[in-house]
């Protein structure tokens, strides 16, 4: 019985330290062309693009989303739509938050200068 009391604390600490986080890294992704852009009935814009490295750590490395209610969401959607039509690469800022079955949340979009 003593081991249960004294062994449980280190075991619990190990589990907490190695538990997967729902947050991953945040930052700008490398510029890439869009492969898809959609508007869902769940209140989100969904972005599909192939990036060299998705730092978000989310399980789906090709899909991203922006909530309709997010500040600047409509402007981000307009920029994404125009860049897709013009076949220009864009950069996404991932927040590190994974939701929607492993899809990374985006909080900003930018259009890099042409080389």
């Amino acid at each position: 019985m003593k081991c249960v009391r004294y062994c449980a604390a280190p075991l619990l600490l190990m589990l907490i330290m190695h538990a997967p986080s729902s947050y991953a890294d945040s930052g700008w992704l490398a510029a890439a062309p869009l492969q898809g852009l959609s508007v869902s009935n769940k209140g989100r814009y969904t972005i599909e693009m192939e990036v060299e490295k998705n730092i978000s750590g989310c399980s789906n490395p090709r899909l991203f989303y922006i909530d309709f209610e997010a500040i600047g969401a409509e402007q981000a959607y307009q920029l994404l739509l125009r860049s897709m039509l013009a076949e220009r690469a864009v950069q996404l800022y991932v927040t590190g938050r994974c939701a929607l079955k492993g899809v990374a949340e985006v909080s900003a979009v930018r259009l890099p200068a042409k080389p």
Side-chain angles (χ1 to χ4, degrees), residues 9 14 16 21 26-27 30 35 40 45-46 48-49 51 63 67-68 73 76-77 79 83 95 100-101 104 115:
M14 282 180 27
I16 291 171
S21 174
S26 61
Q35 295 175 325
S40 76
Y45 300 111
T46 304
E48 182 180 352
M49 61 190 285
V51 293
L63 290 179
D67 282 320
F68 288 170
Y77 175 74
L79 179 65
S83 66
T95 64
L100 303 172
K101 299 180 183 175

Side-chain angles (χ1 to χ4, degrees), residues 16-64:
I16 291 171
M17 290 176 61
H18 292 97
S21 174
S22 62
Y23 284 86
D25 288 335
S26 61
W28 288 102
L29 301 179
L34 294 176
Q35 295 175 325
L37 181 61
S38 62
V39 180
S40 76
N41 62 354
K42 306 273 190 215
R44 295 180 173 102
Y45 300 111
T46 304
I47 306 154
E48 182 180 352
M49 61 190 285
E50 186 74 40
V51 293
E52 289 180 23
K53 182 180 178 189
N54 185 344
I55 61 171
S56 73
C58 296
S59 61
N60 192 332
R62 297 173 46 100
L63 290 179
F64 307 89

